[in-house]
Amino acid sequence: MKIRVKLYASLAEHLPAGTKGNETDLEVAADATPATVIAQLGLPEKMCHLVLLNGVYVEPSARAATSIRDGDALAMWPPVAGG
Amino acid sequence: MAWARRILRVNLTKGTCTHEPLNMDWAKRYLGQRGLATKYLTEEIDPKVDPLDPGNKLIMATGPLTGTCASTAGRYSVITKGALTGAIACSNSGGFFGNEMKNAGLDMIIFEGRATSPVYLFIDNDDCQLLDASGYWGTSVWDTEEGIKEAHGDPQIRVASIGVAGEKGVKFACVVNDMHRAAGRSGVGTVMGSKNLKAVAIRGTKGVSVDDMPAFLKAAAAGKAVLADNAVTGQGLPAYGTQVLMNVINETGALPTRNHRDIQFEGASKISAEAMAEPRESDGKPNLVRNAACFGCTIACGRVSTIDRTHYTVVDRPQYQKASGGLEYEAAWALGAATGVDDLDALTFANFICNEQGIDPISFGATVGAAMEMFEDGVITTKEAGGIDVKFGSAKALTDLAELCGRGEGFGAEIGLGSKLLCEKYGKPELSMSVKGQEFPAYDGRGIQGMGLTYATSNRGACHLRSYTVASEILGIPEKTDPLVTDGKAGLVKAFQDATAAVDSAGICVFTTFAWTLEDIAPQIDAACEGDWSVEALLATGERIWNLERQFNLAAGFTGKDDNLPPRLMKDAAKTGPAKGLTSGLDKMLPEYYQLRGWSKDGVPTNETVSRLEL
Ligand code: SF4
């Protein structure tokens, strides 16, 4: 199935070469979870601080158990803040 | 120690400058800066005074840590009755001015009365003079600052001034120091303008002492190590600035868009931190030139930017082609998502103008957003708008209005009323996205429920910095809470409000609290200042300050009914994102909040609370 992956700030360097902007479509296994996508993209786990599936926060402990569906959007950030 | 133990009282009506000892009993109960100056203000003015009347006072105040070697310890605040709100106003600024003021041996400068003609205050350590500012009146912050430095032949002088907007009564005028650092909110610059006070220029070389130097050096070094080791303050903020939030908040479904009609902006990625780092087509250079730090700051979240030289705003205008203060998240949101404009260069230009003429980009952008909605509804036409097509998404309308508002001219002067008065004027009060007359910042109270309560109860009108629950609800600092639920938010908001009031009174930057807790801050204050400044003492001080501000507002005529949100947030459900279908749950959170505060059902501190806090 295909999902939309969005990688921001320093994680953007892990997007496939030639990606314009911060997002791309990604073919993933039917039983994909945020944890499997992180592994598939070779993202340093410690840097995947904020993980949002369709805008909803996925706790670190739930990343291997949360199913992703076709067409979902998975967005990730390293530790960031603002004000 | 740490306190300079001295204030300067400037009577603008009489033209006198007098040093006085600091009231140390008050300092030990209100710490400094926000808390201590609020104590002075509330003791000295009639809460019902018109903010622009000479009877209102304006206080510039440093904290006990200002000017020390603690990280970020260069802050000062401007405290007055706000021109935009009629409520207590306290706007905090970084840069270098606060440090200079403290080094001139000043905890506070209290301005009272009104000068008969424009003046500026010049301080050279103990020497204080009111000087003629008629040559600077009608000029921008930038020209005033450069002019004063040149006139005194000293580039080391630090200047805080108002632009033309503050002179012309734009309700959300700022006090800007060091060219692009601002005490931005609530119209503190408007009050300064009403006093015919153009600028304060300081040279201070006296040094700042602390109570227990070895303990202080140790605590300050430990604090810096925590900031350096923390991924947010050590890496995230210096690299991406606050602007990294643009995509985060949009993805979360809490980015107020087009006057809060929507809560996700399709153009968010074009105006984000990531976009600021992208090389542009014309010259291959990105918008972001480098980061920047305020005095003594080891975080350095500031942005320095340039505008594409081929952009319509700067062609043939070399003064705007130079690098200058770049977009922070709040400004980028207000100038961008709130107006539907996704042109990064136009936003950067509007931001330059806000700095140059001293206007608050949050209130300005949000008010333009309200005007755009009224334009779309046909309530405002190009006739009222002086020929400008005030359409959502129009970069040209945004930048034209920034220039007009900065000079207080044409339809820009109407924008300068702020959204509350503007929407009332055109018979659409419900379209003002404000609380107590001050416009919302960059988070939607439907998508982040704690922020709805934060805005409704903020003593200076809608404000994110009074209790930044975004840290917990979105970023997981210090721990993650669910942004879509109301449970537990009353306690969360109160805890953030009390802790922040203490931090704002110390002389340090609130951004340290992405890494520091009060456990990191208390040892620094405790070593610098006489007395006991434990975590508990700081929290008690914060709560006392919050209640003092509340008492002032109640005496000024506000009631619990003003702890409210516009109907759009209470009745119109969010259309997209995780909050789809939700309105603000303020009615569930507010009674619990009052109870936790020890206030009556009407939002008045009970006698028991007043005596517990020794108010
Ligand atoms: S963190 Fe940013 S705003 Fe705060 S003192 Fe440092 S540079 Fe200034």
Side-chain angles (χ1 to χ4, degrees):
Chain A
M1 63 180 181
K2 205 182 266 181
I3 64 166
R4 193 83 179 147
V5 173
K6 308 179 184 185
L7 300 180
Y8 294 104
S10 58
L11 289 179
E13 62 198 48
H14 298 275
L15 282 161
T19 305
K20 234 182 141 11
N22 289 83
E23 40 188 286
T24 184
D25 286 331
L26 187 73
E27 201 58 48
V28 299
D31 59 352
T33 64
T36 63
V37 176
I38 288 169
Q40 184 177 338
L41 288 167
L43 303 177
E45 220 169 303
K46 223 179 87 195
M47 293 307 284
C48 298
H49 179 78
L50 184 62
V51 176
L52 303 180
L53 182 60
N54 300 322
V56 178
Y57 179 71
V58 184
E59 292 211 27
S61 60
R63 287 179 194 169
T66 304
S67 333
I68 299 182
R69 285 169 310 180
D70 189 39
D72 277 355
L74 186 66
M76 294 185 258
W77 285 263
V80 291
Chain B
M1 297 274 215
W3 295 285
R5 292 171 170 264
R6 187 169 76 150
I7 67 177
L8 177 67
R9 188 175 294 275
V10 179
N11 188 309
L12 293 159
T13 308
K14 295 184 190 153
T16 56
C17 302
T18 321
H19 285 109
E20 291 175 9
L22 183 71
N23 184 326
M24 287 308 295
D25 288 340
W26 289 354
K28 286 175 185 158
R29 279 153 32 85
Y30 294 94
L31 190 54
Q33 206 173 344
R34 173 175 161 187
L36 189 53
T38 301
K39 178 65 179 165
Y40 269 87
L41 189 81
T42 55
E43 291 287 335
E44 294 193 9
I45 71 164
D46 173 2
K48 290 210 155 47
V49 73
D50 183 312
L52 304 183
D53 186 274
N56 190 12
K57 298 190 183 186
L58 180 127
I59 304 179
M60 291 180 169
T62 59
L65 293 186
T66 307
T68 69
C69 67
S71 185
T72 76
R75 313 291 303 190
Y76 80 104
S77 292
V78 182
I79 294 92
T80 186
K81 181 171 176 175
L84 182 67
T85 56
I88 190 81
C90 170
S91 288
N92 185 308
S93 181
F96 297 82
F97 179 84
N99 169 61
E100 206 70 23
M101 180 173 152
K102 189 67 171 287
N103 272 282
L106 293 172
D107 295 306
M108 242 182 253
I109 309 171
I110 302 178
F111 294 97
E112 47 194 35
R114 174 188 288 153
T116 48
S117 60
V119 293
Y120 72 101
L121 174 66
F122 179 66
I123 299 173
D124 183 357
N125 288 317
D126 296 337
D127 184 24
C128 311
Q129 308 168 56
L130 283 168
L131 300 174
D132 176 28
S134 46
Y136 302 116
W137 204 251
T139 70
S140 71
V141 162
W142 294 353
D143 289 342
T144 299
E145 183 163 337
E146 276 174 7
I148 288 177
K149 285 179 177 176
E150 210 178 297
H152 291 272
D154 185 354
Q156 309 263 49
I157 289 171
R158 297 294 177 181
V159 180
S161 64
I162 55 166
V164 177
E167 300 170 11
K168 292 279 187 79
V170 167
K171 294 271 185 205
F172 43 78
C174 317
V175 178
V176 181
N177 55 280
D178 304 294
M179 305 299 264
H180 42 238
R181 286 282 162 186
R185 302 226 69 194
S186 312
V188 296
T190 323
V191 175
M192 187 159 154
S194 76
K195 298 193 170 305
N196 265 329
L197 177 65
K198 180 68 180 174
V200 180
I202 306 185
R203 189 77 179 97
T205 56
K206 293 165 88 80
V208 177
S209 57
V210 293
D211 190 41
D212 181 343
M213 185 61 88
F216 178 70
L217 290 176
K218 199 168 153 216
K224 285 176 187 169
V226 171
L227 295 177
D229 290 346
N230 182 281
V232 169
T233 49
Q235 296 149 36
L237 276 173
Y240 299 99
T242 57
Q243 255 281 63
V244 77
L245 280 189
M246 187 64 72
N247 286 312
V248 176
I249 303 302
N250 193 45
E251 193 72 16
T252 314
L255 188 73
T257 300
R258 288 175 285 268
N259 204 33
H260 285 250
R261 281 201 317 208
D262 301 301
I263 58 172
Q264 286 181 306
F265 180 39
E266 64 287 352
S269 64
K270 292 191 189 166
I271 59 169
S272 64
E274 288 82 358
M276 286 171 72
E278 276 289 306
R280 53 193 167 221
E281 269 171 32
S282 65
D283 59 3
K285 290 180 186 158
N287 171 287
L288 179 70
V289 177
R290 60 179 168 83
N291 67 333
C294 302
F295 171 82
C297 176
T298 54
I299 301 173
C301 79
R303 305 289 93 184
V304 177
S305 287
T306 56
I307 297 169
D308 184 339
R309 287 178 183 202
T310 64
H311 193 261
Y312 75 89
T313 49
V314 299
V315 171
D316 301 328
R317 301 177 84 183
Q319 72 270 37
Y320 300 113
Q321 293 178 0
K322 293 184 271 192
S324 190
L327 291 164
E328 314 286 347
Y329 171 59
E330 294 298 332
W333 162 77
L335 302 170
T339 63
V341 176
D342 65 4
D343 176 339
L344 184 65
D345 285 306
L347 268 53
T348 308
F349 177 78
N351 194 56
F352 283 8
I353 298 296
C354 287
N355 289 336
E356 184 187 28
Q357 292 297 10
I359 50 178
D360 170 16
I362 301 179
S363 284
F364 167 73
T367 304
V368 171
M372 285 174 163
E373 183 161 2
M374 290 192 283
F375 187 81
E376 202 173 273
D377 290 352
V379 179
I380 291 175
T381 66
T382 44
K383 188 165 163 261
E384 283 88 15
I388 300 173
D389 253 344
V390 192
K391 283 197 296 244
F392 276 124
S394 169
K396 186 76 171 67
L398 176 78
T399 54
D400 283 355
L401 288 174
E403 296 204 73
L404 285 169
C405 184
R407 297 195 302 268
E409 290 173 2
F411 190 60
E414 292 210 7
I415 294 291
L417 293 170
S419 68
K420 181 170 183 280
L421 292 182
L422 183 75
C423 293
E424 281 173 1
K425 178 173 176 179
Y426 287 98
K428 290 276 188 182
E430 71 281 6
L431 293 186
S432 168
M433 297 301 126
S434 62
V435 174
K436 301 181 181 78
Q438 179 156 283
E439 290 73 19
F440 290 158
Y443 311 92
D444 194 287
R446 292 164 290 193
I448 308 176
Q449 291 284 329
M451 290 310 281
L453 182 62
T454 287
Y455 296 159
T457 58
S458 163
N459 287 327
R460 69 168 184 175
C463 168
H464 58 299
L465 290 170
R466 286 298 174 265
S467 46
Y468 192 65
T469 62
V470 176
S472 166
E473 294 180 277
I474 301 297
L475 305 168
I477 303 169
E479 57 189 36
K480 186 75 176 72
T481 52
D482 185 344
L484 302 179
V485 305
T486 54
D487 284 356
K489 296 299 162 63
L492 189 71
V493 167
K494 178 183 179 293
F496 268 88
Q497 285 173 340
D498 292 347
T500 305
V503 171
D504 283 347
S505 301
I508 53 175
C509 178
V510 73
F511 288 175
T512 56
T513 58
F514 291 125
W516 286 352
T517 65
L518 289 182
E519 301 274 355
D520 300 294
I521 295 170
Q524 301 184 59
I525 300 177
D526 196 49
C529 303
E530 296 151 43
D532 160 37
W533 292 101
S534 61
V535 170
E536 294 70 32
L538 287 175
L539 280 174
T541 303
E543 188 177 8
R544 185 176 301 126
I545 293 165
W546 190 266
N547 279 271
L548 181 68
E549 293 173 339
R550 177 76 175 184
Q551 284 186 318
F552 177 85
N553 283 351
L554 293 170
F558 289 93
T559 70
K561 290 199 176 73
D562 297 298
D563 299 337
N564 209 343
L565 295 173
R568 177 159 288 169
L569 273 87
M570 302 299 292
K571 292 188 185 139
D572 299 355
K575 295 178 205 154
T576 60
K580 189 174 173 181
L582 277 186
T583 54
S584 167
L586 178 66
D587 44 356
K588 292 191 203 82
M589 297 181 280
L590 194 62
E592 187 190 349
Y593 172 84
Y594 281 177
Q595 199 183 11
L596 288 173
R597 278 254 166 252
W599 295 353
S600 72
K601 285 191 172 56
D602 300 323
V604 180
T606 61
N607 290 340
E608 203 188 326
T609 301
V610 171
S611 71
R612 176 173 60 83
L613 296 171
E614 298 168 14
L615 278 164

